[in-house]
Amino acid sequence: MYRLFAALPVPPDITTGLKALQKGLVGASWRPERNFHITLRFFGDLTHEHARDLDDMLGEIRAPEMELRLEGVGWFGRREPSAVWARVRETDELRALSGQCERAARRLGLSPDRRPFLPHVTLAYLHGATPEEVTAWAQPRHAYCSEAFWADSFHLYSSHSGKGPSRYVAEADYVLGASG
């Protein structure tokens, strides 16, 4: 079985600004820069055969390169915060690419993703942080804005748990280009 997701990588020059946000929140398990990505669709645990089929379907996706920017921060979990993140400014191209990944998942027979697409880069998973602490952390960072960057490919990643943070491996690469 493979635990898989499709995502856009975050370029190294953008990760520097994200690392600067990673301080001052009790109960935060800060993600290493190598784990920064923008999830397009989480697929979950798939057999080798389904993973191969998914790779073929993702390889059929045609989408343009896209300019992206990170703007602001937020968190998941209203009553019990579970993660903090940097928001990705949503574009039509980004939403369309996520939609194509969703269609590939459905063609594979996976259940529709029940959560609305919210493009973000996870900065930390939280353990015991209160809403008040997370609000106090987010307030001075609400105006965070990265430089614009170009996404010219996305990847099919596998996720491997173990001691410490999960390890993500780019199993396949898909080029974005003007033919999309």
Short mmCIF file of all heavy atoms in Angstrom, two decimals, residues 18 51 62 68 76 90 94-95 97:
data_model
loop_
_atom_site.label_atom_id
_atom_site.label_comp_id
_atom_site.label_asym_id
_atom_site.label_seq_id
_atom_site.Cartn_x
_atom_site.Cartn_y
_atom_site.Cartn_z
N LEU A 18 8.73 31.20 5.09
CA LEU A 18 7.85 30.32 5.89
C LEU A 18 8.54 29.92 7.19
O LEU A 18 7.90 29.88 8.24
CB LEU A 18 7.46 29.09 5.07
CG LEU A 18 6.57 29.35 3.88
CD1 LEU A 18 6.38 28.07 3.06
CD2 LEU A 18 5.23 29.92 4.31
N ALA A 51 -2.10 2.76 -7.60
CA ALA A 51 -1.10 3.83 -7.68
C ALA A 51 -0.61 3.99 -9.12
O ALA A 51 -0.43 5.11 -9.60
CB ALA A 51 0.06 3.54 -6.74
N ARG A 62 -3.58 18.27 -18.30
CA ARG A 62 -3.00 19.39 -19.03
C ARG A 62 -3.43 20.66 -18.33
O ARG A 62 -4.62 20.94 -18.20
CB ARG A 62 -3.48 19.41 -20.49
CG ARG A 62 -3.07 18.18 -21.28
CD ARG A 62 -1.55 18.12 -21.46
NE ARG A 62 -1.13 16.84 -22.02
CZ ARG A 62 -0.57 15.85 -21.32
NH1 ARG A 62 -0.36 15.97 -20.03
NH2 ARG A 62 -0.21 14.73 -21.91
N LEU A 68 1.97 31.84 -8.34
CA LEU A 68 1.36 31.69 -7.02
C LEU A 68 2.01 32.66 -6.04
O LEU A 68 3.12 33.14 -6.25
CB LEU A 68 1.52 30.25 -6.52
CG LEU A 68 0.87 29.17 -7.38
CD1 LEU A 68 1.23 27.80 -6.86
CD2 LEU A 68 -0.64 29.36 -7.43
N PHE A 76 -6.60 25.25 11.22
CA PHE A 76 -7.71 24.31 11.19
C PHE A 76 -8.09 23.99 12.63
O PHE A 76 -7.23 23.89 13.50
CB PHE A 76 -7.34 23.02 10.47
CG PHE A 76 -7.07 23.20 9.01
CD1 PHE A 76 -5.86 22.82 8.45
CD2 PHE A 76 -8.04 23.73 8.17
CE1 PHE A 76 -5.62 22.98 7.10
CE2 PHE A 76 -7.81 23.89 6.81
CZ PHE A 76 -6.59 23.51 6.28
N GLU A 90 -5.64 31.91 -3.98
CA GLU A 90 -6.30 31.01 -4.93
C GLU A 90 -6.44 31.68 -6.28
O GLU A 90 -6.76 32.86 -6.37
CB GLU A 90 -7.67 30.60 -4.40
CG GLU A 90 -8.23 29.42 -5.13
CD GLU A 90 -9.44 28.84 -4.42
OE1 GLU A 90 -9.56 28.99 -3.19
OE2 GLU A 90 -10.27 28.25 -5.11
N LEU A 94 -5.14 27.33 -10.33
CA LEU A 94 -4.89 26.44 -9.20
C LEU A 94 -6.13 25.61 -8.88
O LEU A 94 -6.05 24.39 -8.68
CB LEU A 94 -4.45 27.25 -7.98
CG LEU A 94 -4.13 26.48 -6.70
CD1 LEU A 94 -3.03 25.45 -6.94
CD2 LEU A 94 -3.73 27.45 -5.59
N ARG A 95 -7.28 26.25 -8.86
CA ARG A 95 -8.54 25.53 -8.59
C ARG A 95 -8.80 24.49 -9.68
O ARG A 95 -9.21 23.38 -9.40
CB ARG A 95 -9.71 26.51 -8.51
CG ARG A 95 -11.04 25.81 -8.24
CD ARG A 95 -12.14 26.76 -7.86
NE ARG A 95 -12.03 27.27 -6.51
CZ ARG A 95 -12.23 26.56 -5.40
NH1 ARG A 95 -12.53 25.31 -5.48
NH2 ARG A 95 -12.13 27.13 -4.22
N LEU A 97 -6.57 22.92 -11.55
CA LEU A 97 -5.63 21.81 -11.39
C LEU A 97 -6.08 20.89 -10.27
O LEU A 97 -6.06 19.66 -10.41
CB LEU A 97 -4.22 22.36 -11.13
CG LEU A 97 -3.13 21.30 -10.92
CD1 LEU A 97 -3.02 20.35 -12.10
CD2 LEU A 97 -1.79 22.00 -10.64
#
